[in-house]
């Protein structure tokens, strides 16, 4: 649908299931099921949106360091403890902040996610 902006969180792992869904296929047996199809949202419906996204970034080139984080629309917690409010600092150009009271539950959930994800 033209002119519609969706606020759903989408992760890179969601693209393959979405393409398979759009083609009317089935996910291959044994394929990791981390991704979710967002085809319903593309078609203007309601899908299974994510509450958060986990990311493990380990570049093989350039000068960027490896990093792990969990984020939602507003908050982002890195594996090293840095915390950002993306609603006021979307580019993370300011120093990390202390976890504010309104984000304590979210930060605790993000820490739990980080502790259970394998490298």
């Amino acid at each position: 649908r033209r002119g519609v902006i969706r606020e759903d969180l989408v992760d890179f792992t969601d693209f393959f299931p979405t393409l398979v869904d759009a083609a009317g296929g089935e996910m291959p047996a044994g394929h990791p099921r981390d991704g979710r199809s967002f085809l319903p949202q593309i078609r203007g419906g309601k899908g299974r949106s994510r509450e958060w996204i986990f990311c493990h970034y380990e570049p093989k080139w350039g000068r960027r360091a490896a990093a792990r984080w969990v984020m939602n629309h507003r908050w982002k917690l890195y594996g090293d403890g840095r915390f950002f409010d993306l609603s006021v600092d979307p580019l993370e150009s300011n120093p990390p902040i202390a976890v504010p009271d309104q984000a304590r539950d979210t930060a605790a959930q993000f820490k739990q996610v980080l502790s259970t994800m394998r490298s």
Side-chain angles (χ1 to χ4, degrees):
R1 295 171 49 194
R2 295 182 72 132
V4 175
I5 298 173
R6 298 300 303 228
E7 297 289 333
D8 295 7
L9 291 173
V10 174
D11 182 65
F12 185 75
T13 61
D14 298 332
F15 282 86
F16 182 54
T18 302
L19 293 171
V20 169
D21 195 13
E26 296 288 327
M27 290 292 289
H31 187 276
R33 303 286 192 224
D34 291 344
R36 301 176 182 180
S37 174
F38 57 93
L39 186 62
Q41 292 97 314
I42 292 172
R43 292 182 170 159
K46 182 164 177 57
R48 293 182 9 205
S49 61
R50 296 176 172 278
E51 293 180 36
W52 49 264
I53 291 174
F54 166 78
C55 201
H56 178 94
Y57 177 72
E58 194 163 344
K60 304 296 183 200
W61 59 88
R63 298 176 189 217
R64 298 200 182 262
R68 294 162 53 92
W69 64 86
V70 180
M71 63 182 285
N72 61 20
H73 287 292
R74 181 164 183 190
W75 308 109
K76 185 173 184 179
L77 175 67
Y78 283 90
D80 63 8
R82 291 176 294 145
F83 193 76
F84 291 90
D85 181 347
L86 301 174
S87 70
V88 295
D89 189 10
L91 300 178
E92 302 171 27
S93 53
N94 296 307
I97 62 171
V99 177
D101 288 340
Q102 77 252 31
R104 292 218 187 277
D105 290 344
T106 300
Q109 178 189 29
F110 287 1
K111 286 178 186 176
Q112 176 64 28
V113 171
L114 285 165
S115 74
T116 59
M117 295 294 181
R118 293 180 287 180
S119 297

